[in-house]
């Protein structure tokens, strides 16, 4: 699924991947928060459509109620906020 500006959560049924939008299209300082709300053992993988996330290509969430907040640099990367 595609992440959008604002807060989104997704009940993970099976392994899922969430793609952050291209940082330059959302602008500097745009924030996206992703939270895993299901209690199962499935992995939610967050990837950058372009650029990186804090220097890596993906971040993963495996634990219920774990949260990542991503902040766009407005150019090509996402940073953990």
């Amino acid at each position: 699924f595609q992440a959008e500006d604002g807060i989104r959560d997704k009940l993970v049924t099976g392994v899922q991947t969430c793609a952050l939008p291209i940082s330059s299209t959302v602008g500097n300082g745009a924030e996206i928060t992703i939270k895993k709300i299901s209690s199962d053992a499935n992995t939610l993988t967050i990837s950058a459509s372009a650029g990186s996330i804090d220097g890596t290509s993906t971040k993963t969430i495996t634990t219920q109620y774990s949260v990542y907040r991503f902040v766009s640099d407005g150019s090509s990367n996402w940073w953990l906020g």
Side-chain angles (χ1 to χ4, degrees):
F1 64 98
Q2 179 72 39
E4 299 173 20
D5 193 20
I7 298 174
R8 299 284 182 253
D9 53 20
K10 171 108 177 148
L11 180 60
V12 175
T13 317
V15 175
Q16 295 285 321
T17 300
C18 175
L20 295 172
I22 297 171
S23 183
S24 62
T25 64
V26 297
N28 187 34
E31 296 183 13
I32 294 176
T33 301
I34 299 175
K35 177 179 185 178
K36 182 178 186 269
I37 60 173
S38 64
S39 60
D40 58 36
N42 294 317
T43 299
L44 173 59
T45 301
I46 301 120
S47 64
S49 294
S52 67
I53 304 170
D54 249 10
T56 65
S57 58
T58 62
K59 293 292 181 189
T60 59
I61 300 176
T62 57
T63 307
Q64 184 178 28
Y65 304 125
S66 292
V67 177
Y68 276 126
R69 183 170 61 100
F70 303 93
V71 181
S72 168
D73 71 359
S75 177
S76 62
N77 298 300
W78 289 91
W79 304 107
L80 294 178

